[in-house]
Amino acid sequence: MTANAKKRVLSGIQPSGNLTIGNYIGALRQWVAEQDAYDCFFCVVDLHSLTLPQDPAHLRAKTREVAALYIASGIDPDKATIFIQSHVPAHTELAWILSCLTPLGWLYRMTQFKDKAAKQQQESVGAGLLNYPTLMAADILLYQAHAVPVGDDQRQHLEYTRDLAQRFNHLYGETFVLPDAMIPKTGARIMGLDNPLAKMSKSEASEGHAVYLLDTPAVARKKLMRAVTDSGREIIFGESPEKAGVNNLLTIYQAITGQSNADIEAHFAGKGYGDLKKEVGEAVVSLLTPLQARYQELMAEGGYLDKVLAHGAQKANEVANQTLAQVRQCIGLVAPS
Ligand code: ATP
Ligand code: LTN
């Protein structure tokens, strides 16, 4: 099958902090698994991270780090297109056009907006935070993506993207592919180690909240040993809030080892929470060790990452500009002569 006959995938991660094992288990792991079957575009969504305050030097460094972590996680730049969102101006132009078709009510309803806005002073909530899903819709629709591999928290943004695409297609004629969310069966929502009732998130500052992909083995083990559990002793999967900590550790273990619920419960039968934490720590370290070795190699190879990103930007611009030209034409913008 040629690259063009393959269906397309697009996804992205914000360079808003250190990537966590939640980002790996919920998103990156699926990207790696799908890169042969689909024509994949993976971007570092730097413009999205501007929706909350960022230090410029930190943002610049994190943007390159995230791109390198895509490759270190197993994304092959010869198979998938890796690029930085802001290197493709079509994203912002389509986002503007789509925002003009978006009822404000759709945006105010977004739970991510409500959660992130609630953490800010009311007067300082930026308009970009409200419009965040429109930029995400532009990211996806420009590439005519059929599938978008993301964690569970992005479900609502995908619904919004489909609604917007449908509205556009209805008003101006069939233009956009309607994308489907691709959400993993295991690990779609890894919870915070310090608070298993809240999603693990790279922008949460508290110590011990998340294991980062670049944590040393000693730090990763320590964070897992300190993970919040409960006062019971049963090591079983379960939905109840009291077992959320244990369930989260078992889910991380399962995502890494690929074993079934029954096998994992049998393995831990009769053991204590200390054993559980230790074994999950070892599983996490077995994931991080080869990933970090690839990351170090990549960073030592001067110029390689820049080459990948330049090539990615070129390819992404070609595809995105084609869709944008079609959009400009059908909404009535005069083509530049
Ligand atoms: P931030 O805290 O800056 O919002 P984040 O850690 O939530 O960051 P994003 O950049 O928003 O990460 O998300 C990147 C990808 O990782 C998305 O597909 C998202 O669904 C997935 N993801 C993020 N956190 C988790 C998690 N705890 N469990 C599973 N998937 C996750
Ligand atoms: N909103 C996403 C990040 C993101 C994204 C995308 C994911 C921006 N654009 C396009 C998939 C496709 C998040 O994870 N918070």
Side-chain angles (χ1 to χ4, degrees):
M1 194 157 59
T2 66
N4 291 341
K6 288 181 181 174
K7 287 194 169 179
R8 193 164 278 153
V9 148
L10 178 130
S11 198
I13 298 181
Q14 302 181 71
S16 47
N18 300 322
L19 293 205
T20 70
I21 55 169
N23 297 131
Y24 179 86
I25 294 171
L28 282 166
R29 188 171 57 117
Q30 299 194 83
W31 302 4
V32 174
E34 301 303 343
Q35 64 182 334
D36 288 314
Y38 290 86
D39 179 22
C40 293
F41 285 75
F42 297 123
C43 55
V44 182
V45 289
D46 53 348
L47 297 170
H48 274 103
S49 61
L50 298 178
T51 54
L52 291 175
Q54 303 290 338
D55 169 73
H58 190 251
L59 176 62
R60 209 171 284 125
K62 288 293 151 187
T63 301
R64 291 172 56 78
E65 182 179 299
V66 172
L69 282 171
Y70 286 2
I71 302 171
S73 297
I75 306 291
D76 180 349
D78 291 332
K79 292 181 183 162
T81 304
I82 300 174
F83 67 103
I84 296 176
Q85 182 190 35
S86 67
H87 290 180
V88 185
H91 290 238
T92 41
E93 186 170 338
L94 183 61
W96 171 258
I97 294 168
L98 294 176
S99 77
C100 295
L101 294 181
T102 302
L104 275 175
W106 289 11
L107 294 171
Y108 281 121
R109 204 177 297 145
M110 294 291 135
T111 54
Q112 184 179 293
F113 170 71
K114 290 192 260 189
D115 291 349
K116 292 198 172 182
K119 290 185 185 155
Q120 307 254 300
Q121 299 278 19
Q122 210 183 339
E123 327 72 72
S124 59
V125 173
L129 194 61
L130 183 65
N131 233 335
Y132 178 113
T134 317
L135 180 58
M136 175 162 165
D139 298 342
I140 297 166
L141 299 178
L142 275 175
Y143 299 86
Q144 306 289 13
H146 300 89
V148 182
V150 283
D152 177 66
D153 60 321
Q154 297 304 309
R155 214 181 271 277
Q156 196 185 27
H157 287 161
L158 256 298
E159 289 295 318
Y160 167 84
T161 303
R162 287 175 66 93
D163 289 348
L164 206 46
Q166 254 166 333
R167 173 175 276 228
F168 190 101
N169 288 350
H170 176 72
L171 289 171
Y172 299 107
E174 282 306 310
T175 305
F176 294 125
V177 168
L178 298 189
D180 286 314
M182 189 187 259
I183 295 178
K185 286 198 185 70
T186 303
R189 194 174 175 80
I190 300 298
M191 309 309 279
L193 298 177
D194 59 342
N195 173 8
L197 298 178
K199 186 191 84 110
M200 181 182 284
S201 152
K202 72 173 114 63
S203 58
E204 174 60 61
S206 59
E207 177 65 26
H209 169 76
V211 174
Y212 301 127
L213 295 184
L214 295 178
D215 273 345
T216 62
V219 168
R221 286 190 183 104
K222 193 164 109 189
K223 286 178 175 174
L224 283 154
M225 287 314 288
R226 292 190 179 163
V228 170
T229 47
D230 56 76
S231 55
R233 39 182 313 126
E234 260 195 320
I235 303 181
I236 51 168
F237 287 92
E239 293 300 316
S240 78
E242 308 85 72
K243 299 304 285 183
V246 168
N247 190 66
N248 192 39
L249 291 172
L250 289 173
T251 304
I252 294 170
Y253 187 82
Q254 180 165 52
I256 298 173
T257 64
Q259 295 171 24
S260 69
N261 285 21
D263 284 351
I264 293 173
E265 288 179 355
H267 174 76
F268 286 111
K271 296 190 181 172
Y273 287 173
D275 303 311
L276 170 67
K277 291 175 178 182
K278 209 181 239 166
E279 291 203 37
V280 178
E282 291 318 310
V284 167
V285 168
S286 76
L287 166 74
L288 299 187
T289 305
L291 188 152
Q292 293 179 1
R294 283 197 294 269
Y295 177 81
Q296 299 306 344
E297 263 172 46
L298 208 71
M299 289 320 231
E301 216 176 312
Y304 175 72
L305 184 62
D306 296 306
K307 260 191 232 136
V308 168
L309 293 174
H311 178 68
Q314 192 189 350
K315 232 180 122 190
N317 270 296
E318 275 165 29
V319 175
N321 286 337
Q322 264 182 28
T323 308
L324 187 63
Q326 209 182 328
V327 168
R328 292 175 58 104
Q329 156 76 20
C330 63
I331 63 176
L333 300 181
V334 174
S337 46

